[in-house]
């Protein structure tokens, strides 16, 4: 059955109109998911897969990822309940320390108040180890970006003590002595 010429034009126009409406609707639906005021997602972050926490290098890898993603949950999962952080207050000439809860609050504040953090673990300076207790000194570089015009770079050393109940258990950080001169 053949349609008269006028009817063919009406059907074609209706299809074209429906197609245009569908395309416009999809474009509008896609744009409705865009928030022009939200910060862009940083797709340049590179996370390493480091899931076997029975290896110290993987604990340090997760530590690095926690800083890169500013993730206190990930960071907190590495710390033992009896964790102690120590640093040297050179102005007063004393060591200052705090427990896990204070460190988590301090780290949360750092993560919330920076635009990005880039931690690079460097050479291992010294090591003493057993199956359940390991102490290492590791050099690091930390780049703290508060905003594009306020970037701080810290080079330092961390003396980290790791513990676990048995060789099959994951390592936890029980002590972090920051030997940075910052």
């Amino acid at each position: 059955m053949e349609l008269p010429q006028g009817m063919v034009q009406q059907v074609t126009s209706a299809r074209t109109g429906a197609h245009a409406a569908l395309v416009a609707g999809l474009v509008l639906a896609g744009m409705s998911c865009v928030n022009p005021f939200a910060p862009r997602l940083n797709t340049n972050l590179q996370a390493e897969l480091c899931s076997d926490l029975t290896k110290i290098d993987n604990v340090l890898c997760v530590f690095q990822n926690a800083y890169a993603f500013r993730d206190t949950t990930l960071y907190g999962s590495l710390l033992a309940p009896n964790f102690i952080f120590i640093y040297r207050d050179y102005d007063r000439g004393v060591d200052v320390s705090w427990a896990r809860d204070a460190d988590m609050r301090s780290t949360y504040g750092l993560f919330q108040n920076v635009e990005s953090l880039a931690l690079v673990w460097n050479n291992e300076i010294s090591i003493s180890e057993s199956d359940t207790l390991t102490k290492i000194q590791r050099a690091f570089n930390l780049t703290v970006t508060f905003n594009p015009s306020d970037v701080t770079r810290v080079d330092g050393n961390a003396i980290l003590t790791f513990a676990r109940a048995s060789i099959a258990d994951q390592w936890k950080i029980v002590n972090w002595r920051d030997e940075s001169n910052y």
Side-chain angles (χ1 to χ4, degrees):
M1 176 174 141
E2 208 170 297
L3 296 173
Q5 183 62 28
M7 185 67 106
V8 170
Q9 287 177 340
Q10 286 177 347
V11 169
T12 303
S13 292
R15 281 188 185 158
T16 303
H19 183 259
L22 178 63
V23 169
L26 289 174
V27 167
L28 288 174
M31 289 181 67
S32 68
C33 296
V34 175
N35 181 350
F37 303 106
R40 289 190 334 209
L41 179 63
N42 184 353
T43 57
N44 293 327
L45 292 175
Q46 298 290 322
E48 291 185 46
L49 184 58
C50 38
S51 57
D52 182 7
L53 299 181
T54 62
K55 298 177 181 169
I56 297 230
D57 282 342
N58 285 347
V59 175
L60 295 172
C61 176
V62 171
F63 193 112
Q64 189 171 358
N65 287 342
Y67 267 60
F69 293 109
R70 300 181 342 239
D71 185 336
T72 53
T73 302
L74 193 56
Y75 175 74
S77 72
L78 302 174
L79 306 182
N82 60 336
F83 172 82
I84 300 290
F85 176 83
I86 306 164
Y87 74 96
R88 183 75 177 170
D89 183 335
Y90 291 99
D91 294 335
R92 296 183 6 219
V94 297
D95 286 341
V96 178
S97 65
W98 56 67
R100 185 183 191 284
D101 290 344
D103 188 69
M104 289 300 299
R105 283 190 301 276
S106 174
T107 303
Y108 175 80
L110 171 66
F111 288 0
Q112 291 299 306
N113 289 296
V114 299
E115 190 173 289
S116 68
L117 293 164
L119 173 64
V120 176
W121 292 111
N122 295 317
N123 57 321
E124 201 167 275
I125 296 169
S126 65
I127 189 166
S128 66
E129 66 181 301
S130 73
D131 288 342
T132 57
L133 188 67
T134 295
K135 186 175 189 175
I136 65 169
Q137 183 171 349
R138 198 82 187 248
F140 66 87
N141 307 106
L142 177 63
T143 303
V144 182
T145 305
F146 294 99
N147 62 57
S149 63
D150 187 3
V151 178
T152 301
R153 289 177 180 78
V154 177
D155 299 320
N157 289 298
I159 299 174
L160 299 163
T161 305
F162 302 85
R164 62 183 175 180
S166 76
I167 197 165
D169 292 322
Q170 297 181 349
W171 289 106
K172 295 287 184 182
I173 303 170
V174 293
N175 191 283
W176 171 7
R177 180 177 193 86
D178 189 334
E179 300 249 317
S180 304
N181 188 4
Y182 178 76

